[in-house]
Amino acid sequence: MSFEKLDALGHRLEALEHALSILGADEATHMAVGGGDKRAEAMSTLAGMYHAQSTAPEIADWIEAAKPETEDQKLALKEFKRSYLNATCLPTEFVERRTAATMRSEQLWRDLRAKGDWDSFLPALEGVVSLVREEAHLRADALKLAPYDALMEQYDPGNRTAQLDGVFADLKSFLKGFVPEALAVQQEKLAKRPLKPLNGPYPIEKQRELGLAAMRAVGFDFTHGSLAVSHHPFCGGVPTDVRMTTRYRTDEFLSSLMGVLHETGHALYEQGLPKSWSHWSLGKARGMGIHESQSLFVEMQLARSPEFWQFALPLVHQYLGADAIPGWDVDDVLAQVNLVERGYIRVDADEVTYPLHVILRYELEQDLINGKLEAAQIPEAWDAKMTEYLGISTINNPKDGPMQDVHWPGGAFGYFPSYTLGAMIAAQQWATLEQAQPNLRADIAKGDFTGANQWRAENIWSQASRYSTPDLITRATGEPLNAAHFKAHLKKRYL
């Protein structure tokens, strides 16, 4: 009977999640300007209902008394218990304090980041860091984990610094030597064959049609999803009604197309989750690292490859016109989409330099949570690592240094590792898939993504949250997370 009660609760929670997700996606895309106050009130009320139902004390009794009969039910109960413990280990009083502080901090950050005013922002950040340290210890006590591991558990269940420290140290050491090498090779290529200019303007409606064609080709199901426009691209909604967005520039089309393909990777994962378990934690996506691996698989492994552009270049001519990129061939496109540059901004970084941006934040986060670093010391520590890792200084530029991301003002510590984990997992999945399917690249060149999608559907999407992030990687690829695959991918593409 207790298992049936949990099942019924799952349906109620799923209904609330559905409403919140669709209302949130609509707010970012179609809501009228004057609808904000009532929308916030509606979503706040629904969120309160969700929290009250998902943390009710009687749930602990239902979990204890449940008698699962199948292997799936055992795994479902285990994941439900993990989710419940994570939801209830913070006192309501603390959640209210933390929410108020991070909201004020984010609002202040939006204003002060543009001015690069670190000194005025520092007191708010110090308050957030203090609260996150408190949260880390509350979670650590409940989960029997080290404080920073307890924070990472919210984003990638099963990941631990004991494993990641070694993987990231190895990758960092490699990249510090590889970045100048890749830049040197690129300079030689560009000296012989300079970048060709884009021939805009590119009408938005034509770009939209190109994006829809690319989504359709790589497997997006338009009976269970759609594409809209938003200030910042995202993939939201629910698995049966995925709400994807992009943004457009009329002077170039590649950033929008790559953004569409990235978000399509997220969408394919959501659409491929097991429908019979959608109302249980078991049926949800397995954390941010795996989710990011699916988006980066499509964007980086597929869409920045020569085979993809053998298929996609005719699409560009079909939807944007024969003179969209006059005289361009596949190599000209690849030179644009795989350009390597040292830069300050993480979200604008290429796949070679991007992991160094993430590793920098991962190292500083651990020091902040463990008390080895105070918020006031961040600019100097940040500059030292940027100078060492990427050869550029941010000491007098907090706007493009430690103030550039919303994560810390919003209290999201433990999230950053997921980005680079996603890139590494994507490369490892690709290496496994290439071994399993010798004709993979030839199929992609023909616009046939069936094999790539079937493999991920079987090994990633349908598995949902049955296993921890490390276990899922091992089961899918036959080995634990291994930086060698990502390094081999970078060498092949950039050297």
Side-chain angles (χ1 to χ4, degrees):
M1 188 63 182
S2 294
F3 199 89
E4 285 74 14
K5 288 179 179 178
L6 291 172
D7 194 68
L9 172 65
H11 280 292
R12 294 197 298 275
L13 294 177
E14 184 187 28
L16 291 169
E17 285 175 355
H18 187 124
L20 282 164
S21 295
I22 297 301
L23 284 171
D26 178 82
E27 181 182 24
T29 53
H30 294 102
M31 188 187 74
V33 175
D37 288 345
K38 281 296 181 182
R39 179 63 55 89
E41 183 182 326
M43 292 183 71
S44 176
T45 300
L46 288 170
M49 292 168 62
Y50 183 92
H51 185 263
Q53 291 202 35
S54 65
T55 60
E58 60 268 25
I59 295 173
D61 297 330
W62 297 348
I63 292 171
E64 194 64 33
K67 297 288 188 287
E69 296 174 359
T70 67
E71 185 61 27
D72 269 0
Q73 287 183 352
K74 290 175 185 175
L75 291 169
L77 187 65
K78 180 182 177 182
E79 182 61 17
F80 197 106
K81 186 175 182 179
R82 191 194 71 80
S83 299
Y84 182 70
L85 182 58
N86 276 281
T88 56
C89 65
L90 302 181
T92 302
E93 170 274 331
F94 173 81
V95 172
E96 290 171 350
R97 271 194 297 129
R98 186 187 185 285
T99 302
T102 53
M103 284 185 69
R104 285 196 299 270
S105 172
E106 272 196 57
Q107 289 163 3
L108 196 63
W109 170 78
R110 287 192 188 98
D111 177 46
L112 296 177
R113 192 235 159 169
K115 305 170 187 174
D117 189 350
W118 172 263
D119 291 339
S120 298
F121 176 61
L122 179 59
L125 182 61
E126 287 175 327
V128 170
V129 169
S130 176
L131 283 165
V132 172
R133 286 173 176 168
E134 187 178 347
E135 176 186 352
H137 283 93
L138 284 167
R139 291 193 182 281
D141 288 344
L143 303 176
K144 309 303 180 201
L145 294 172
Y148 189 74
D149 286 347
L151 295 178
M152 282 203 302
E153 181 72 8
Q154 311 312 301
Y155 304 105
D156 274 307
N159 279 343
R160 303 290 179 258
T161 53
Q163 286 75 45
L164 292 192
D165 284 351
V167 171
F168 279 1
D170 175 51
L171 182 60
K172 178 176 69 175
S173 176
F174 165 78
L175 287 172
K176 283 162 67 176
F178 184 79
V179 170
E181 193 178 355
L183 286 167
V185 170
Q186 178 177 273
Q187 190 173 4
E188 287 179 18
K189 288 180 179 177
L190 292 178
K192 297 173 185 174
R193 184 175 181 146
L195 292 175
K196 288 184 178 175
L198 287 155
N199 192 34
Y202 300 102
I204 287 173
E205 189 49 44
K206 289 187 176 181
Q207 288 192 59
R208 173 178 164 78
E209 291 301 320
L210 173 63
L212 292 172
M215 290 166 65
R216 190 175 296 110
V218 298
F220 186 87
D221 177 3
F222 283 96
T223 66
H224 290 100
S226 58
L227 176 69
V229 176
S230 66
H231 177 69
H232 184 81
F234 67 85
C235 176
V238 294
T240 53
D241 186 6
V242 174
R243 303 298 177 93
M244 248 181 66
T245 71
T246 189
R247 59 186 173 195
Y248 299 101
R249 289 171 47 179
T250 55
D251 61 324
E252 58 94 8
F253 68 92
L254 286 168
S255 62
S256 174
L257 180 59
M258 286 297 165
V260 165
L261 288 161
H262 179 95
E263 301 305 335
T264 301
H266 285 302
L268 292 175
Y269 187 16
E270 289 292 319
Q271 290 182 339
L273 292 169
K275 295 172 177 56
S276 60
W277 285 101
S278 65
H279 58 295
W280 281 79
S281 304
L282 182 76
K284 314 296 183 190
R286 173 76 301 166
M288 296 312 302
I290 296 295
H291 228 308
E292 201 63 24
S293 79
Q294 298 312 289
S295 62
L296 292 175
F297 185 96
V298 174
E299 182 198 352
M300 297 299 182
Q301 301 299 321
L302 291 180
R304 296 179 192 267
S305 72
E307 292 79 17
F308 179 87
W309 282 100
Q310 288 174 41
F311 150 73
L313 196 55
L315 278 186
V316 172
H317 294 145
Q318 179 183 343
Y319 288 96
L320 299 186
D323 60 346
I325 41 178
W328 284 46
D329 61 21
V330 168
D331 286 339
D332 294 316
V333 180
L334 293 174
Q336 287 277 356
V337 299
N338 293 327
L339 191 67
V340 180
E341 294 178 294
R342 287 191 176 98
Y344 295 105
I345 306 301
R346 175 186 62 84
V347 296
D348 294 336
D350 54 85
E351 68 173 333
V352 175
T353 60
Y354 189 95
L356 291 171
H357 288 269
V358 170
I359 291 169
L360 175 153
R361 289 154 174 79
Y362 171 71
E363 293 172 346
L364 293 182
E365 279 193 346
Q366 289 188 72
D367 288 346
L368 281 166
I369 297 305
N370 296 331
K372 294 179 183 176
L373 183 73
E374 296 302 328
Q377 300 169 307
I378 290 174
E380 289 75 19
W382 186 289
D383 178 68
K385 290 182 184 294
M386 279 294 283
T387 303
E388 180 188 353
Y389 301 170
L390 285 165
I392 51 180
S393 174
T394 58
I395 194 62
N396 296 313
N397 184 15
K399 173 178 174 286
D400 294 335
M403 291 184 78
Q404 68 180 267
D405 296 300
V406 71
H407 300 63
W408 290 352
F413 286 72
Y415 190 124
F416 278 120
S418 300
Y419 292 120
T420 284
L421 284 171
M424 294 169 69
I425 297 165
Q428 191 161 325
Q429 288 174 20
W430 177 266
T432 306
L433 183 55
E434 259 202 305
Q435 280 197 329
Q437 298 180 13
N439 295 324
L440 178 64
R441 289 184 180 272
D443 290 342
I444 290 166
K446 294 183 291 188
D448 181 0
F449 301 92
T450 309
N453 287 347
Q454 284 179 346
W455 186 91
R456 288 182 298 145
E458 181 181 335
N459 291 282
I460 303 294
W461 306 341
S462 65
Q463 302 306 312
S465 286
R466 283 184 169 86
Y467 311 106
S468 70
T469 298
D471 285 349
L472 183 57
I473 296 167
T474 302
R475 285 172 172 271
T477 67
E479 63 176 323
L481 182 65
N482 183 353
H485 298 291
F486 184 59
K487 290 189 286 187
H489 159 69
L490 294 181
K491 287 176 182 176
K492 184 172 184 178
R493 176 166 288 175
Y494 296 96
L495 300 184

